[in-house]
Amino acid sequence: MKLSKKVVLLGHFGVGKTSLFRRFMDNEFSEDYKVTLGVQIKKKVIEMPDGRELSMIIWDTEGHTNIEDTRKSYLLGSHAFIYVFDLTRTDTYQDLSKDIDYLTKNYPKVKTKIIGNKLDLVNEKDILQLFKDKQIQFDCLTSAKTNKNVQNFFSDLAKEITS
Amino acid sequence: MEYQEDTLLFSEKTQFILVTVEGIIKKTDAKLFDWKVGGSIYDCHPFFEILKSLIDSFEKEETTYNFPCIHLEENNTEKICDITIIINTQEITVILFEYTSKYRELNKIAQQRNESVLKAKELELKNKYLLDKEEFKNNFITNINHEVRTPLTSILGFVEILEKTKLNFEQEELARIIKRQSIHLNALIDDMVDISKIESGKIQIVDQRFLFVNLIKGFDETYSKLAEKKEIEFSTYIDPNIQEYLIGDRTRVYQILNNLLGNAFKFTEEGSIHLSVTKNYQRTNKLSINFKIEDTGFGIQAENLERIFDRFTRFNEDKQISGTGLGLAIAKNLVNLLNGEIKVTSQPEKGTTFEVKLPFKFEVTKTTSQKKKKKYTLPETKKKFRILLVEDEEATQYLVMKILISQGNFFIDVALNGEQAINYLERRNYDLVLMDLKMSKIDGYQATRMIRNNYGDKIISEIPIIGFTAKIGEKERDKCLRAGMDDFIAKPFEQEDLLYKITKQIAKKAAV
Ligand SMILES: Nc1nc2c(ncn2[C@@H]2O[C@H](COP(=O)(O)OP(=O)(O)O)[C@@H](O)[C@H]2O)c(=O)[nH]1
Ligand SMILES: [Mg+2]
């Protein structure tokens, strides 16, 4: 049977959800910001190390400042959430734990991953220290622009949701 | 539930698709997308994969799901649809409502709104980056200052020694140049340190009461001499409505005006320079003063005016003018620090005018006591009066001695602390004590109390005492009087004030 998993990108607007989506799907990036309205959906077939094929269906949502404003139907039938925030904008991660709590409470079966994006704009060492001090948890720091950690992140995620 | 293909309920832009639980298209009107009956809905668009999980979780009751604003594309054309899915036991109904143009409209608004937020953040980030860089630079300057200063001091010292040795004319000239250049370098470092201190917020504003008119008089004297040398005219005007004493940061005000005047003198070869000081407005105990420095110098091109306050900006490269290029930047920074305003207007070849507005305060109570001072004269019983100055600060000792000795009718002894003062008083007869309040061992209050209480000899116990305080105010005054002093005077004091108070106390004592 063909494997198929739904993954939803969440987080404030402008943090780079669409950029990560495009980087992963088509290996493209643009500095030009184009607002996402509603949701765009694309499929990518990934070959797993064990030979199986996985259809990853990614929903790139428009993003809201408050996670609870996200349309519930968008989240139906998900296998993973990727919560993206912007390393250069404090307001995109200051309520992170509240948003994550909301997701894990209402969707306990769905894997939730946290990404800090735009790594190319900050000093990694400083950021790591800052997040340690502020006790902000995250799974991965990426740059959609330079492609840093993007492919790795998605292939790790693929493994995790199929195991 | 059954939908008719020819129903009128829905418009042209609506498409119905009936799907089996296996995902095979049973029926469709193909109004929006040309999807074939018999094909799998899962091949139409990845969105429809959602059906699998909806079917999996289906339990008996017919259920409706709404998915607004889904981007569907086929053959590179995108249609933005609201999608309704109805699931029951037999089949699945998918209804697409196309709203592409409505959503595109909405898109524009969201785009503008989000973009402005992102732009603002981007600017903030840039600004922070610049600030960090600035801070680094300022710290760098402060640190390097020390490293440079030490060798420079020895260069200057050795040149001075060298100058005193036997030199021929040429060597003497060379030594003079080295000295001049070193002094210039020293001034440059001073200015750089100053500016980095200002910019990194390390300079603190100290408000003190000072004789404002004297500050301006001082400029008049210094710069008149320079004007004479340069054969130009220099004049000052001070609004007589301005209080004699003001409260503000005298040092910084001095620096600002000195930099602006220095600049004016640098760039004026003929004609005149004028400093005028006028009152803008006055409210309760605050006032704003306008300083105007007009010159008839080279002037500045309009396009350069904006950059005039930048560091190291010099527009007269060809003219042989010395200076660090930091004076105006310092002036501007200091004006900002004092919450003032500075502006410049200029006409090339005609001259430049700088205008500075600075806020000051003044003492309201002081003005009432200024009403009328009773005149006192020293009693003629003696030719000379002996005064004991109790003060450990050399600068103040020197100043008081200078003031009193120049009068010709005072002898002065200096004690360094309260203990010494009492020793002196026991040994000699004095007419008055000038007592600093902050001293090591026995302080001024304590010493005064001892003088008043411990002696039967009235020459000691009733001697007039004037206290030197660092601050002025009711509290200070009370404290002095309670300790038994006859009067007090705040540092830094003016000559007239000191003489007036001394004369008054001696005259009063003699009258008893
Ligand atoms: N420098 C940099 N810019 C990025 C990165 N990711 C996204 N951006 C920019 O950030 C803006 C918003 O990105 P977008 O992907 O549209 O954010 P979304 O609203 O979360 O989908 C765009 O101008 C992107 O070019 C990144 O990793 N580095
Ligand atoms: Mg987006």
Side-chain angles (χ1 to χ4, degrees):
Chain A
M1 187 194 144
K2 235 176 146 187
L3 275 170
S4 157
K5 301 283 176 189
K6 173 180 170 184
V7 176
V8 186
L9 284 159
L10 297 168
H12 293 207
F13 71 82
V15 298
K17 296 181 295 298
T18 304
S19 301
L20 287 165
F21 176 80
R22 289 184 63 198
R23 178 56 87 187
F24 176 60
M25 287 296 169
D26 310 314
N27 205 11
E28 283 173 358
F29 176 80
S30 158
E31 295 276 356
D32 195 26
Y33 171 62
K34 277 221 181 68
V35 72
T36 310
L37 219 59
V39 61
Q40 46 178 335
I41 302 149
K42 275 192 178 172
K43 178 164 86 176
K44 181 157 176 154
V45 179
I46 302 174
E47 199 162 323
M48 305 289 291
D50 57 12
R52 288 182 301 173
E53 274 192 349
L54 167 68
S55 291
M56 211 189 249
I57 293 143
I58 302 191
W59 289 44
D60 172 28
T61 65
E62 63 188 17
H64 287 275
T65 347
N66 188 343
I67 191 92
E68 297 182 32
D69 294 341
T70 313
R71 294 189 173 105
K72 305 274 180 301
S73 60
Y74 288 178
L75 304 179
L76 282 174
S78 300
H79 299 91
F81 297 139
I82 303 173
Y83 188 100
V84 186
F85 66 87
D86 183 337
L87 292 168
T88 68
R89 282 161 60 203
T90 330
D91 56 310
T92 67
Y93 58 79
Q94 63 193 9
D95 290 331
L96 184 70
S97 60
K98 210 178 98 224
D99 286 359
I100 301 298
D101 283 351
Y102 171 85
L103 290 174
T104 47
K105 209 156 120 211
N106 292 285
Y107 304 89
K109 287 194 200 123
V110 184
K111 282 242 148 59
T112 302
K113 291 279 160 193
I114 306 165
I115 281 187
N117 186 44
K118 306 199 188 178
L119 185 55
D120 57 290
L121 293 179
V122 297
N123 180 317
E124 188 166 351
K125 240 167 100 189
D126 292 351
I127 278 286
L128 288 176
Q129 187 59 47
L130 178 75
F131 285 8
K132 206 171 137 193
D133 295 346
K134 289 197 172 177
Q135 300 188 329
I136 292 168
Q137 40 151 347
F138 60 88
D139 295 292
C140 187
L141 300 182
T142 60
S143 166
K145 184 172 171 178
T146 65
N147 202 8
K148 185 163 183 186
N149 296 342
V150 179
Q151 308 304 331
N152 284 347
F153 170 79
F154 279 101
S155 46
D156 287 351
L157 181 66
K159 270 182 249 162
E160 219 174 301
I161 51 180
T162 49
S163 62
Chain B
M1 200 185 226
E2 193 73 12
Y3 289 92
Q4 303 295 315
E5 270 174 61
D6 56 357
T7 180
L8 293 173
L9 204 58
F10 300 106
S11 76
E12 276 301 296
K13 297 199 159 185
T14 306
Q15 179 168 358
F16 285 86
I17 310 157
L18 291 184
V19 185
T20 68
V21 285
E22 289 80 30
I24 304 301
I25 299 176
K26 269 204 323 200
K27 217 180 196 183
T28 182
D29 53 4
K31 275 189 191 149
L32 295 172
F33 296 97
D34 187 19
W35 293 328
K36 295 286 183 287
V37 171
S40 167
I41 186 111
Y42 301 124
D43 295 333
C44 297
H45 191 276
F47 166 77
F48 296 109
E49 295 268 342
I50 193 76
L51 287 175
K52 288 178 184 164
S53 62
L54 297 183
I55 293 164
D56 281 350
S57 58
F58 177 72
E59 289 166 1
K60 280 185 228 151
E61 303 262 311
E62 182 178 279
T63 321
T64 305
Y65 300 93
N66 288 304
F67 296 88
C69 197
I70 306 285
H71 298 244
L72 295 176
E73 49 290 299
E74 191 190 40
N75 305 328
N76 284 333
T77 49
E78 183 190 62
K79 292 190 169 119
I80 309 174
C81 302
D82 286 359
I83 302 175
T84 298
I85 297 175
I86 304 156
I87 301 187
N88 61 36
T89 30
Q90 292 98 47
E91 60 184 359
I92 301 152
T93 311
V94 178
I95 314 162
L96 312 178
F97 303 88
E98 201 220 327
Y99 289 118
T100 309
S101 53
K102 176 191 118 187
Y103 279 124
R104 294 255 156 87
E105 236 3 84
L106 273 177
N107 208 47
K108 278 186 207 155
I109 300 165
Q111 178 81 31
Q112 261 177 6
R113 183 198 57 207
N114 293 4
E115 230 169 50
S116 64
V117 173
L118 291 180
K119 270 271 138 52
K121 286 288 162 185
E122 195 182 310
L123 282 178
E124 212 173 89
L125 200 69
K126 258 194 201 137
N127 192 35
K128 190 182 169 304
Y129 171 73
L130 288 177
L131 282 176
D132 286 351
K133 236 174 69 178
E134 196 70 9
E135 192 185 306
F136 171 78
K137 187 204 65 202
N138 284 332
N139 287 338
F140 178 77
I141 289 176
T142 316
N143 293 338
I144 202 137
N145 167 38
H146 178 73
E147 306 299 320
V148 177
R149 202 74 87 148
T150 316
L152 189 59
T153 309
S154 43
I155 293 177
L156 264 168
F158 285 122
V159 172
E160 269 165 20
I161 295 171
L162 184 69
E163 275 182 327
K164 287 185 192 123
T165 61
K166 244 194 183 160
L167 299 175
N168 66 30
F169 179 75
E170 198 186 354
Q171 287 168 332
E172 207 173 279
E173 188 65 6
L174 291 175
R176 225 173 40 84
I177 291 171
I178 296 175
K179 189 173 169 187
R180 201 178 58 216
Q181 294 294 345
S182 309
I183 289 171
H184 176 70
L185 184 56
N186 211 19
L188 184 70
I189 296 168
D190 276 345
D191 279 0
M192 276 191 336
V193 169
D194 254 4
I195 208 158
S196 73
K197 268 195 201 150
I198 298 169
E199 287 181 356
S200 56
K202 281 188 193 127
I203 281 199
Q204 292 210 332
I205 298 300
V206 202
D207 273 349
Q208 54 175 174
R209 182 169 163 274
F210 66 98
L211 195 55
F212 179 74
V213 282
N214 266 19
L215 177 74
I216 306 302
K217 255 192 233 158
F219 282 124
D220 191 56
E221 282 167 19
T222 322
Y223 282 99
S224 290
K225 282 193 197 112
L226 188 60
E228 229 170 86
K229 255 203 223 158
K230 285 195 84 164
E231 298 184 343
I232 56 178
E233 267 180 54
F234 178 63
S235 55
T236 55
Y237 167 80
I238 176 161
D239 187 342
N241 288 321
I242 294 176
Q243 284 76 353
E244 270 196 311
Y245 282 92
L246 292 180
I247 297 168
D249 194 327
R250 185 188 189 278
T251 317
R252 305 303 161 202
V253 176
Y254 172 86
Q255 249 180 317
I256 293 166
L257 295 178
N258 199 39
N259 275 325
L260 293 177
L261 283 168
N263 188 72
F265 271 85
K266 227 184 288 167
F267 296 109
T268 306
E269 287 306 331
E270 53 188 47
S272 64
I273 293 168
H274 181 67
L275 164 67
S276 83
V277 184
T278 51
K279 195 188 267 190
N280 275 327
Y281 62 81
Q282 175 177 332
R283 243 173 261 134
T284 53
N285 66 335
K286 297 189 180 82
L287 80 164
S288 159
I289 291 185
N290 198 48
F291 301 89
K292 197 172 185 182
I293 292 154
E294 291 166 281
D295 69 48
T296 59
F298 303 142
I300 307 152
Q301 302 284 344
E303 68 265 26
N304 289 335
L305 270 182
E306 259 177 46
R307 287 167 43 224
I308 183 100
F309 295 113
D310 291 354
R311 271 162 288 171
F312 300 113
T313 302
R314 306 273 299 269
F315 299 115
N316 296 289
E317 303 292 357
D318 51 327
K319 302 192 169 101
Q320 286 240 323
I321 288 155
S322 67
T324 60
L326 285 170
L328 291 181
I330 291 177
K332 160 126 192 182
N333 275 294
L334 287 174
V335 169
N336 287 344
L337 208 60
L338 297 179
N339 292 321
E341 283 167 46
I342 185 165
K343 65 175 190 219
V344 56
T345 46
S346 186
Q347 267 184 297
E349 308 303 326
K350 291 247 170 71
T352 306
T353 302
F354 283 94
E355 267 184 273
V356 177
K357 281 193 179 69
L358 291 177
F360 290 89
K361 283 189 220 148
F362 59 91
E363 283 219 329
V364 185
T365 48
K366 202 73 199 167
T367 46
T368 52
S369 75
Q370 253 176 7
K371 277 183 289 182
K372 235 186 234 152
K373 269 187 181 173
K374 203 174 155 198
K375 269 192 92 97
Y376 292 98
T377 47
L378 287 171
E380 288 175 2
T381 47
K382 283 198 210 176
K383 279 228 171 63
K384 287 222 181 196
F385 298 86
R386 193 171 282 277
I387 290 182
L388 178 62
L389 170 64
V390 193
E391 168 67 78
D392 56 357
E393 244 179 51
E394 239 176 65
T396 314
Q397 284 171 12
Y398 178 73
L399 182 67
V400 172
M401 295 212 283
K402 213 176 101 191
I403 293 174
L404 294 187
I405 288 169
S406 67
Q407 294 304 302
N409 37 14
F410 297 105
F411 290 122
I412 298 137
D413 287 334
V414 180
L416 295 178
N417 54 49
E419 206 178 349
Q420 248 183 41
I422 285 170
N423 276 334
Y424 281 34
L425 283 170
E426 285 173 355
R427 277 191 279 135
R428 216 179 215 160
N429 289 347
Y430 289 93
D431 294 291
L432 183 130
V433 178
L434 293 171
M435 177 85 79
D436 187 30
L437 297 174
K438 243 185 70 192
M439 288 178 302
S440 57
K441 289 196 186 163
I442 300 177
D443 73 14
Y445 303 108
Q446 217 180 329
T448 305
R449 263 180 250 118
M450 287 165 73
I451 294 168
R452 291 290 182 246
N453 301 330
N454 297 359
Y455 296 90
D457 183 353
K458 282 192 175 176
I459 293 184
I460 298 181
S461 68
E462 289 183 2
I463 189 165
I465 303 177
I466 298 175
F468 284 159
T469 64
K471 283 175 267 166
I472 41 163
E474 287 299 311
K475 242 193 183 164
E476 235 22 65
R477 209 183 105 91
D478 272 5
K479 226 174 144 190
C480 292
L481 299 185
R482 252 186 293 125
M485 290 175 206
D486 300 277
D487 203 348
F488 78 105
I489 185 164
K491 285 198 276 194
F493 46 76
E494 296 298 327
Q495 174 161 336
E496 285 101 301
D497 250 13
L498 180 69
L499 287 174
Y500 176 79
K501 290 199 166 171
I502 290 175
T503 311
K504 177 177 164 187
Q505 290 309 326
I506 293 179
K508 270 172 104 180
K509 182 81 197 299
V512 185

